[in-house]
């Protein structure tokens, strides 16, 4: 095969880069990853990245390419599209964008005019930067009105959403989150959007894997457009945005991706996503996603027992948002302390956070990566106890060193990808 033993050749030609890859693999094996937006890609989902399809220029779409030699590339892209349509029950699929953020930008360009009004979730209350953050393209080109959470429940304030829609008459309503631990009421969002003549865009980049497995509600019946990335809970490689939309919007959105924003697609990436979609229909995949939910619930429960306050008092998904201030002054300090003992997390603002994004008062935690490695509920609880112990003793170097040894021992019991999840 063309790429057979390629890493061995790289080790000989460029030992510096080869060693960094080896070191990174060891880092991932030796640490416990609780970053909600990270996962370990399935060998099946990853296996065609960098394959010979990486050589092929396939500018255009399967019905209209601008170069010759695309007969097999057309089959690959059509298979990927049909499998995703079957998996999610959607009408039209575009799998060419290089990320979910690019997908979101393309949709705004396809369906809105500059200056049109978008109603979306505030970034510091759980939204995403591509939904209208002031520093992002989406916030610079459109009039953005933002909703947030109910202060008492710390869940999306749907009455506020309805009120703002009536007042501002947006052309698009975006629902989708990056640090929100509860289910999104897609049905009500769809009703509000329809009532006010607005498009509804649902960004499911975080919970997509759970939706694909049928474990939590899908926005497909209610949204005009749905976007997602392919890593996080979906457990594919990073890169690639998937757009699913109503059939009548397909041409506009396809044109916004190519030629509007990108040139030729990355065909090896699309081939890999075709395999990922097939894997997502297997019993092993569905069992994995159920374990993600179970482990997230166990993580939340154990963190509460250990004295940490959880935003919205728990989770309904893969994600837990924690207020750390009862144990340590900030999320930044918590992230640094935990990294020093081998628990990898990310600082995150909590709703109505008095501290800046660079400091933050919380941690965003998730169960997908450790579940991929084979962690079960007691292993996750053990991890939560080690996390809380480190935060409680953040000024005691001896205890932190002890925790570091426990973390490495626990991590060493698990592979990168548990064999039980590999589809047969």
């Amino acid at each position: 095969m063309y790429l057979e033993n390629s890493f061995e050749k790289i080790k000989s030609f460029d030992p510096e880069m080869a060693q960094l890859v080896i070191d990174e693999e060891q880092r991932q094996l030796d640490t416990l990853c609780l970053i909600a937006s990270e996962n370990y890609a399935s060998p099946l989902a990853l296996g065609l990245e960098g394959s010979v399809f990486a050589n092929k220029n396939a500018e255009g779409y399967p019905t209209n390419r601008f170069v010759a030699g695309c007969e097999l590339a057309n089959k690959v892209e059509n298979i990927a599209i049909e499998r995703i349509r079957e998996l999610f029950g959607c009408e039209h699929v575009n799998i060419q964008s290089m990320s979910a953020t690019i997908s979101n930008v393309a949709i705004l360009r396809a369906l809105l005019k500059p200056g049109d009004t978008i109603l979306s979730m505030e970034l510091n209350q759980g939204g995403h930067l591509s939904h209208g953050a002031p520093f992002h393209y989406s916030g610079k080109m459109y009039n953005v009105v933002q909703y947030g959470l109910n202060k008492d429940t710390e869940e999306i304030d749907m009455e506020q959403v309805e009120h703002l829609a009536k007042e501002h008459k947006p052309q698009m309503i975006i629902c989708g989150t990056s640090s929100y631990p509860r289910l999104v009421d897609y049905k009500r969002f769809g009703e509000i959007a329809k009532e006010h003549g607005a498009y509804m865009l649902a960004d499911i980049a975080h919970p997509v894997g759970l939706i694909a497995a049928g474990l939590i509600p899908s926005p497909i019946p209610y949204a005009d457009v749905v976007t997602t990335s392919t890593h996080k809970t979906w457990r594919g490689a990073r890169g690639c945005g998937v757009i699913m939309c109503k059939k009548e919007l397909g041409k506009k959105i396809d044109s916004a991706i190519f030629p509007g924003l990108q040139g030729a697609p990355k065909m090896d990436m699309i081939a890999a996503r075709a395999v990922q979609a097939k894997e997502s229909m297997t019993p092993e995949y569905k069992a994995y996603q159920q374990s993600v939910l179970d482990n997230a619930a166990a993580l939340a429960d154990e963190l509460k027992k250990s004295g940490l306050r959880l935003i919205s008092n728990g989770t309904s998904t893969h994600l837990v948002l924690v207020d750390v201030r009862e144990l340590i002054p900030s999320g930044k300090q918590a992230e640094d302390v935990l990294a020093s003992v081998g628990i990898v997390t990310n600082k995150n603002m909590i709703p109505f956070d008095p501290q800046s994004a660079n400091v933050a008062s919380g941690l965003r935690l998730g169960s997908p990566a450790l579940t991929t490695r084979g962690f079960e509920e007691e292993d996750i609880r053990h991890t939560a106890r080690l996390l809380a112990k480190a935060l409680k003793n953040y000024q005691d170097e001896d205890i932190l060193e002890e925790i570091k040894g426990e973390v490495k021992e626990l991590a060493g019991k698990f592979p990168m990808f548990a064999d039980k999840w590999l589809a047969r």
Side-chain angles (χ1 to χ4, degrees):
M1 291 291 287
Y2 173 55
L3 294 175
E4 192 173 2
N5 300 320
S6 60
F7 189 67
E8 290 303 312
K9 292 172 185 173
I10 292 168
K11 281 166 67 177
S12 174
F13 173 73
D14 193 343
E16 181 182 18
M17 287 306 300
Q19 189 59 50
L20 287 171
V21 172
I22 292 166
D23 291 347
E24 175 60 15
E25 181 174 12
Q26 196 59 53
R27 183 199 69 80
Q28 292 183 22
L29 285 167
D30 288 345
T31 56
L32 301 178
C33 179
L34 284 171
I35 296 177
S37 58
E38 286 191 15
N39 208 335
Y40 303 103
S42 157
L44 292 172
L46 187 61
L48 293 182
E49 297 269 354
S51 67
V52 291
F53 276 108
N55 300 330
K56 187 70 193 92
N57 176 2
E59 188 174 74
Y61 289 99
T63 55
N64 186 25
R65 300 291 190 190
F66 290 85
V67 295
C70 291
E71 295 82 7
L72 298 176
N74 289 343
K75 288 183 179 181
V76 165
E77 188 164 350
N78 283 330
I79 287 170
I81 287 168
E82 287 308 312
R83 287 176 179 174
I84 290 171
R85 285 178 61 187
E86 180 183 350
L87 181 64
F88 291 97
C90 56
E91 294 178 8
H92 181 85
V93 173
N94 184 301
I95 198 170
Q96 289 199 6
S97 73
M98 296 297 182
S99 73
T101 295
I102 290 173
S103 297
N104 288 341
V105 170
I107 288 159
L108 297 179
R109 288 168 61 92
L111 303 183
L112 303 180
K113 302 186 300 293
D116 277 355
T117 299
I118 297 169
L119 178 58
S120 64
M121 191 175 189
E122 287 187 49
L123 180 63
N124 64 9
Q125 299 211 8
H128 190 262
L129 60 89
S130 65
H131 301 168
F135 51 81
H136 189 263
Y137 168 89
S138 55
K140 293 174 188 280
M141 293 298 292
Y142 303 96
N143 175 41
V144 181
V145 177
Q146 298 203 295
Y147 59 86
L149 306 185
N150 179 295
K151 280 190 174 182
D152 296 326
T153 64
E154 295 180 316
E155 296 187 30
I156 294 173
D157 188 338
M158 293 306 298
E159 291 184 6
Q160 183 192 37
V161 174
E162 195 156 8
H163 171 77
L164 290 173
K166 284 179 182 175
E167 182 180 352
H168 296 278
K169 299 177 174 53
Q171 280 71 49
M172 178 176 286
I173 298 177
I174 302 177
C175 60
T177 64
S178 65
S179 58
Y180 182 66
R182 295 299 181 179
L183 300 180
V184 174
D185 190 345
Y186 299 120
K187 184 173 185 289
R188 191 165 178 196
F189 268 107
E191 290 168 349
I192 294 169
K194 189 173 182 180
E195 182 181 348
H196 297 282
Y199 291 111
M200 175 184 160
L201 165 59
D203 183 335
I204 60 170
H206 263 275
V208 58
L210 300 168
I211 292 169
L215 296 177
I216 64 174
S218 169
I220 294 292
Y222 315 108
D224 296 290
V225 191
V226 176
T227 60
T228 183
S229 54
T230 53
H231 52 289
K232 301 185 178 87
T233 53
W234 203 359
R235 210 183 56 192
R238 298 184 71 88
C240 188
V242 176
I243 301 173
M244 297 172 275
C245 66
K246 301 293 186 188
K247 189 174 182 180
E248 61 267 23
L249 301 178
K251 278 190 178 180
K252 276 187 178 180
I253 290 171
D254 287 351
S255 294
I257 292 290
F258 172 82
L261 285 174
Q262 294 182 177
K266 198 168 185 297
M267 288 308 306
D268 61 318
M269 183 173 73
I270 291 175
R273 299 310 174 269
V275 178
Q276 180 178 342
K278 183 173 182 177
E279 184 181 14
S280 302
M281 302 175 195
T282 65
E284 292 87 354
Y285 175 82
K286 291 176 181 177
Y288 163 74
Q289 293 295 345
Q290 183 60 58
S291 189
V292 167
L293 278 181
D294 295 341
N295 282 344
L299 176 66
D301 182 60
E302 200 64 40
L303 290 171
K304 279 199 288 188
K305 288 179 180 176
S306 299
L308 286 155
R309 187 181 81 82
L310 307 189
I311 303 309
S312 79
N313 199 38
T315 181
S316 309
T317 63
H318 65 295
L319 185 151
V320 180
L321 188 59
V322 182
D323 182 348
V324 300
R325 291 173 297 172
E326 292 182 21
L327 302 185
I328 191 169
S330 73
K332 169 61 175 162
Q333 286 174 282
E335 180 187 285
D336 290 345
V337 166
L338 292 170
S340 76
V341 301
I343 300 175
V344 187
T345 63
N346 71 267
K347 64 183 177 295
N348 208 93
M349 294 185 80
I350 61 172
F352 313 105
D353 201 325
Q355 306 194 82
S356 70
N358 290 330
V359 178
S361 298
L363 291 173
R364 182 185 67 166
L365 308 173
S367 62
L370 291 185
T371 304
T372 294
R373 294 190 66 178
F375 277 52
E376 296 183 355
E377 288 185 48
E378 188 44 50
D379 306 306
I380 289 286
R381 289 183 181 275
H382 186 185
T383 302
R385 291 191 292 269
L386 290 172
L387 181 153
K389 186 177 179 181
L391 296 186
K392 289 174 183 175
N393 296 281
Y394 70 96
Q395 295 176 310
D396 192 321
E397 292 298 329
D398 290 336
I399 293 178
L400 292 179
E401 193 61 30
E402 192 179 291
I403 295 169
K404 185 176 181 179
E406 286 189 64
V407 167
K408 190 168 183 179
E409 182 182 358
L410 178 59
K413 295 177 181 178
F414 295 89
M416 189 87 78
F417 192 94
D419 183 67
K420 64 182 176 180
W421 305 136
L422 196 59
R424 299 317 197 255

